[in-house]
Amino acid sequence: MVSIEPTAAAYQATAGGFLDLDRAFYSKIHEDSRHELVDSFILPIRSGRAWRVPAGYLCRITIPEGPQVGDLNLWNFNDPRERMWAARTRQLQAAHVTVFDRLWSILPFLRPMVTITGDSLKDYGKDGEGGRVHDLLGTRCDPYVNTLLTGKDFDYHCHSNLTRAVLPYGLTEFDVHDVLNVFQCTGLNDQDKYFMKACPAKKGDYFEFFAEIDILAALSTCPGGDLSVPLWGPNARDPLEVCRPLGVEVYKVHSDVLQGWKSPEKAAYAGRHGLAAKPWA
């Protein structure tokens, strides 16, 4: 009888299986010097913006001035019902993601939307307080919880920034979903409660991903800035002085590098859900 390691990852890749990706291929994409810059912009503090990343292109989120957290949402550009699934990504990949991890879409699609190809903080690991970067444990700050905790309205939380960002694409507040907190350092304390630390990113740091399908991405520059100032509690105050912009760059990948690559198919499950099943007895 095979024993199970109690703390082994529940979802594990088998050689050649769907979770076993070609690391050499994605390394080559990251390292190739022939990428063509097709779009770039700076996202001001406490704002949001959405943009397209075509399938087979790279997107890089950058730190142009100093530490700053960004909240990222992803949709299928052609069918926004398909969007990023933070919870399943935590299970299939990790609660904090880095190079070679993928961000997965919700049911019934369930496929990798993007693959992370570059991360200047990939060696951060786990710090002395248990913090790790690029967080999927938490979600976006929002005006509802802020009013609940403080009794005051504030219209520039990440949820609101993302809502404004996607309106030009025909989406609404109902389409905004759990985020990847890029550059955010988080963990669970000894009471199993979520904590946030000051962002360790520095000017010049970046987070890069490869679009496996046509992507609509949206990013918010968190109103908490680098999170070095408490947002709630007895020591909370407005962290405006630690808010900084983020940069976004989109690159066309040279066709030579993409030889043999194709967008992943949607999950192969037939979708019957037992509705046509005969009684067991």
Side-chain angles (χ1 to χ4, degrees):
M1 182 176 181
V2 178
S3 62
I4 299 176
E5 174 63 38
T7 58
Y11 296 80
Q12 298 190 32
T14 54
F18 206 67
L19 294 179
D20 185 21
L21 81 168
D22 184 349
R23 294 190 172 208
F25 170 74
Y26 291 102
S27 294
K28 184 166 61 174
I29 289 175
H30 173 66
E31 295 165 1
D32 192 81
S33 61
R34 296 171 293 175
H35 304 324
E36 176 189 349
L37 181 66
V38 296
D39 191 17
S40 65
F41 58 87
I42 296 295
L43 189 60
I45 67 169
R46 296 182 169 181
S47 68
R49 180 165 169 175
W51 70 98
R52 184 186 180 200
V53 187
Y57 282 52
L58 279 177
C59 182
R60 180 175 281 204
I61 300 172
T62 64
I63 297 284
E65 294 183 10
Q68 170 67 38
V69 167
D71 287 46
L72 179 68
N73 265 187
L74 301 174
W75 297 263
N76 180 336
F77 186 87
N78 303 302
D79 182 1
R81 293 176 300 174
E82 181 176 11
R83 62 192 189 190
M84 186 179 75
W85 191 4
R88 183 64 85 212
T89 300
R90 286 196 301 269
Q91 293 176 314
L92 295 178
Q93 308 291 169
H96 298 83
V97 291
T98 187
V99 177
F100 303 130
D101 287 326
R102 297 169 131 176
L103 304 181
W104 293 74
S105 62
I106 62 170
L107 302 180
F109 309 96
L110 193 59
R111 58 177 166 174
M113 301 182 74
V114 306
T115 300
I116 301 167
T117 51
D119 175 13
S120 61
L121 297 175
K122 64 182 183 297
D123 295 325
Y124 185 85
K126 183 178 181 180
D127 63 31
E129 288 75 42
R132 301 175 188 265
V133 292
H134 308 313
D135 162 59
L136 283 168
L137 281 173
T139 189
R140 61 210 180 276
C141 57
D142 68 78
Y144 303 97
V145 74
N146 185 75
T147 301
L148 184 71
L149 294 174
T150 69
K152 299 177 181 178
D153 283 359
F154 180 74
D155 295 329
Y156 299 93
H157 283 291
C158 289
H159 180 84
S160 298
N161 295 343
L162 293 168
T163 296
R164 296 194 309 277
V166 299
L167 289 176
Y169 292 88
L171 303 184
T172 72
E173 177 178 8
F174 292 99
D175 297 293
V176 175
H177 50 277
D178 282 349
V179 300
L180 169 62
N181 291 303
V182 184
F183 304 122
Q184 186 166 325
C185 186
T186 69
L188 299 175
N189 65 20
D190 57 6
Q191 296 177 307
D192 205 28
K193 293 185 177 182
Y194 182 71
F195 69 80
M196 304 184 298
K197 294 184 60 179
C199 172
K202 298 179 175 61
K203 181 178 180 180
D205 279 329
Y206 64 89
F207 179 87
E208 175 191 279
F209 60 82
F210 174 78
E212 300 283 356
I213 62 174
D214 284 343
I215 291 292
L216 174 65
L219 185 68
S220 165
T221 42
C222 181
D226 65 11
L227 300 182
S228 62
V229 175
L231 298 177
W232 301 284
N235 298 316
R237 58 183 176 84
D238 187 351
L240 181 61
E241 76 272 16
V242 296
C243 290
R244 301 174 183 89
L246 290 170
V248 172
E249 301 165 356
V250 179
Y251 294 90
K252 182 178 181 181
V253 177
H254 197 281
S255 58
D256 288 352
V257 183
L258 296 179
Q259 290 293 325
W261 170 82
K262 64 178 183 178
S263 288
E265 300 291 336
K266 299 172 185 176
Y269 174 60
R272 296 188 181 93
H273 301 295
L275 296 175
K278 296 178 180 180
W280 289 106

